[in-house]
Amino acid sequence: MEKMLAEADAYAAANKEDYVQIIDRYHVVQGKAEGTARAEVVERKLNLAVDAHEQAATDTIGKLEAKARELLRMGKVPEAYNIWKEFPARLRTPETDQQIRQLLERLLPPDFEPE
């Protein structure tokens, strides 16, 4: 378990913005650390990674929403829809995808059909 934690830490240090992979690695270590003296340390590192991911995702969604709203003000509905293709894969989770779908439903005209 110590080796796995060291590898997860090294990956996190070398890939600071690859949140999904960092979280996945700490989840694996958490499973192995359960019931050990290191469980709290692993949980803290996992929580920090989850918090960092959530903040980065929230910031990115906010920036893309602002761009989409500006495009909609200019009457560029397809472009506003396509702006979400810029959302980085490193931040994508089922939860972020759901947030984006809900946002698009609110922003776009109800009769809009993507190409």
Side-chain angles (χ1 to χ4, degrees):
M1 193 275 307
E2 288 298 327
K3 182 179 179 195
M4 289 175 66
L5 179 56
E7 289 172 358
D9 287 343
Y11 185 86
N15 302 280
K16 292 184 187 320
E17 294 186 351
D18 193 0
Y19 302 105
V20 173
Q21 287 298 315
I22 292 167
I23 291 167
D24 286 348
R25 289 164 195 261
Y26 282 131
H27 268 299
V28 171
V29 177
Q30 184 182 39
K32 301 287 184 187
E34 196 171 306
T36 71
R38 301 289 283 165
E40 277 188 42
V41 171
V42 175
E43 184 174 349
R44 189 179 77 250
K45 290 179 183 205
L46 175 59
N47 288 339
L48 288 171
V50 168
D51 290 348
H53 171 261
E54 288 175 358
Q55 186 62 55
T58 298
D59 291 349
T60 303
I61 288 171
K63 289 174 186 172
L64 292 177
E65 179 183 1
K67 285 183 182 181
R69 286 183 183 279
E70 182 58 32
L71 288 166
L72 288 170
R73 276 193 283 282
M74 297 175 356
K76 298 180 177 183
V77 177
E79 292 88 343
Y81 174 81
N82 287 327
I83 200 79
W84 295 98
K85 292 178 182 178
E86 294 178 21
F87 192 77
R90 65 183 168 73
L91 295 176
R92 288 191 66 163
T93 64
E95 293 80 15
T96 59
D97 287 349
Q98 180 65 25
Q99 283 180 295
I100 291 167
R101 274 192 297 279
Q102 290 172 344
L103 188 58
L104 287 172
E105 288 173 6
R106 285 195 319 269
L107 289 176
L108 298 175
D111 61 343
F112 175 71
E113 293 287 330
E115 296 177 7

